[in-house]
Amino acid sequence: MSVWMVRARAPSFIIPITTLRIGNGNGDVKGLRLPLLSNKSWQFQLQFQQRNKVKKKRQNVTISYTNSSSGGDSASAALELEVNEIRESCKMWKWKGQYSINYLVSSSPNSHPNSPPLLLVHGFGASIPHWRRNIGTLAKSYTVYAIDLLGFGASDKPVGYSYTMEGWAQLILDFLDEVVKKPTVLIGNSVGSLACVIAASGLVLLNCAGGMNNKAIVDDWRIKLLFPLLWFIDFLLKQRPIASAIFERVKQRETLRNILLSIYANKESVDETLVEIMREPANEEGALDAFVSIVTGPPGPNPVQLMPSISIPVLVLWGDEDPFTPLDGPVGKYFSSVPSKLSNVKLIVLDGVGHCPHDDRPELVHEKLLPWLAETFNF
């Protein structure tokens, strides 16, 4: 099944077809017929001019094509939302009576009444718009919540706050109690996955992190050799002028782009929108303090310690080209072994996918995630 996404300045439309004849009704483009023969995921854009009969002038229209024919159907395709649309739909919730937490809720009239809500939890440096390629698709069948963890996105970044994995997990639990108020499936990426493991509801883990930072204690000689360097980096970051200089460098567009290119397998997913999603919150007051606290703070409990105590259904999706938590690393090896030890855990390795599978190859994630949700929660 293939998908065409027609995008101008109006909302996007998703039309499953095998061929498409483009015509704008005004005679500017006629008979452009494109056979969709490839079974691989690929993208391109067309630009043409459309005559506006009312204003009697021509305007540019862009058509973006995404072929997601990878064995799934149109339900698994990535319906991408505009970042501004996401931000305008967000709300604020007061955590502990003092911290403003940014969140989004999205659903459709077709959502199954017995299906559980989903809560999307981003990874390090990310925010709610990092799920822009997932929210629309998931909201067809579920009520979808997404949250900016404290210190990230549009949520508060309190100066002097000590960030911990346990603190983020408590934030998630309190959000479920006070806002969602229903049993919920948690879907996290990277450190967001680890926070979800600590909070432990129904779980979907996308390349789960080993800890809040690289000092996570795991049984790996390579990491142990790096400990002196990691502690030295912590020392440098605790010197305000040095930390500020490093942070300014990290949040530059080109630096962010290069970092993202190193962790995404699908390089086409690293566009200017993604760079800005990561960059904009880094310019807010308190962002530097959050960065330093997270990088230099305690790594918190790691999933190796936590997973044996979890009895709820868990789906683990792991990109096989992740340089941060590779499959042959200690955390990846552990999760590879878990399904043989814990019957409630299912692992699916995603070929040609990096550290952020939901954004790197969203259609592939949906193809694996949606059937698991339907089967697990029996609707």
Side-chain angles (χ1 to χ4, degrees):
M1 183 65 68
S2 300
V3 172
W4 281 81
M5 181 186 300
V6 181
R7 180 186 300 165
R9 293 185 181 272
S12 298
F13 299 91
I14 300 296
I15 311 168
I17 54 176
T18 54
T19 59
L20 179 69
R21 186 180 299 273
I22 301 176
N24 63 9
N26 297 320
D28 292 296
V29 176
K30 290 184 178 179
L32 176 55
R33 185 177 176 84
L34 300 171
L36 313 182
L37 302 177
S38 173
N39 61 358
K40 298 182 179 180
S41 177
W42 50 285
Q43 297 179 322
F44 66 81
Q45 287 190 330
L46 300 174
Q47 286 191 329
F48 60 89
Q49 289 189 322
Q50 179 183 33
R51 184 181 300 278
N52 187 315
K53 291 183 176 180
V54 177
K55 296 182 179 180
K56 296 183 178 181
K57 65 178 183 180
R58 294 177 180 268
Q59 58 186 14
N60 289 327
V61 176
T62 300
I63 292 183
S64 300
Y65 169 71
T66 301
N67 174 19
S68 60
S69 53
S70 53
D73 57 24
S74 61
S76 67
L79 172 57
E80 183 172 341
L81 302 180
E82 296 293 337
V83 172
N84 286 339
E85 178 184 356
I86 292 174
R87 288 176 175 157
E88 290 171 1
S89 301
C90 284
K91 305 176 181 180
M92 283 293 178
W93 163 66
K94 213 72 170 178
W95 182 44
K96 295 185 175 182
Q98 57 181 325
Y99 303 122
S100 293
I101 302 299
N102 188 51
Y103 77 95
L104 171 79
V105 57
S106 179
S107 63
S108 75
N110 298 323
S111 297
H112 196 285
N114 297 325
S115 63
L118 313 178
L119 175 59
L120 310 179
V121 185
H122 62 79
F124 180 81
S127 57
I128 293 170
H130 201 206
W131 301 98
R132 69 198 185 283
R133 293 172 176 153
N134 315 106
I135 294 170
T137 299
L138 297 177
K140 292 178 182 178
S141 303
Y142 301 88
T143 297
V144 177
Y145 291 85
I147 192 172
D148 282 344
L149 293 173
L150 189 71
F152 293 117
S155 289
D156 278 353
K157 303 166 185 65
V159 176
Y161 184 88
S162 296
Y163 293 87
T164 64
M165 291 304 311
E166 295 89 341
W168 283 330
Q170 189 60 54
L171 165 61
I172 291 170
L173 289 172
D174 292 343
F175 182 80
L176 295 178
D177 287 342
E178 297 179 23
V179 180
V180 183
K181 299 179 181 180
K182 291 179 65 177
T184 303
V185 178
L186 306 182
I187 302 177
N189 174 227
S190 191
V191 295
S193 283
L194 184 53
C196 289
V197 172
I198 301 171
S201 183
L203 287 175
V204 179
L205 309 179
L206 304 172
N207 287 58
C208 184
M212 188 172 74
N213 51 48
N214 287 332
K215 296 189 297 298
I217 300 172
V218 290
D219 187 18
D220 185 87
W221 64 270
R222 292 168 295 184
I223 294 179
K224 290 179 179 178
L225 284 177
L226 287 175
F227 272 0
L229 176 59
L230 296 176
W231 289 116
F232 179 66
I233 292 173
D234 281 3
F235 169 77
L236 292 178
L237 288 176
K238 289 177 180 178
Q239 316 307 309
R240 186 76 179 190
I242 296 176
S244 180
I246 293 174
F247 190 60
E248 286 298 321
R249 177 63 178 172
V250 168
K251 69 180 185 180
Q252 295 301 311
R253 284 189 178 85
E254 284 306 310
T255 304
L256 284 174
R257 184 180 293 105
N258 290 333
I259 293 172
L260 291 166
L261 285 170
S262 73
I263 64 176
Y264 275 63
N266 179 17
K267 308 305 181 185
E268 292 179 354
S269 291
V270 182
D271 53 19
E272 287 303 313
T273 300
L274 177 60
V275 172
E276 285 304 311
I277 286 173
M278 298 296 182
R279 183 175 181 273
E280 185 171 339
N283 290 319
E284 295 183 2
E285 184 179 357
L288 171 60
D289 297 270
F291 170 77
V292 172
S293 177
I294 293 166
V295 174
T296 63
N302 67 63
V304 177
Q305 300 166 329
L306 298 168
M307 287 299 296
S309 63
I310 294 177
S311 58
I312 56 175
V314 180
L315 173 64
V316 181
L317 300 178
W318 210 281
D320 69 342
E321 294 188 19
D322 181 358
F324 282 177
T325 49
L327 275 173
D328 63 352
V331 179
K333 285 181 179 178
Y334 172 75
F335 274 102
S336 296
S337 70
V338 166
S340 64
K341 302 172 183 176
L342 302 174
S343 60
N344 60 307
V345 179
K346 180 177 183 179
L347 170 69
I348 300 177
V349 176
L350 305 177
D351 295 334
V353 181
H355 185 65
C356 305
H358 63 289
D359 193 51
D360 196 333
R361 287 289 304 278
E363 77 288 346
L364 187 56
V365 168
H366 300 157
E367 178 186 305
K368 307 301 181 183
L369 171 61
L370 292 171
W372 181 84
L373 288 170
E375 178 184 354
T376 302
F377 297 101
N378 297 317
F379 70 91

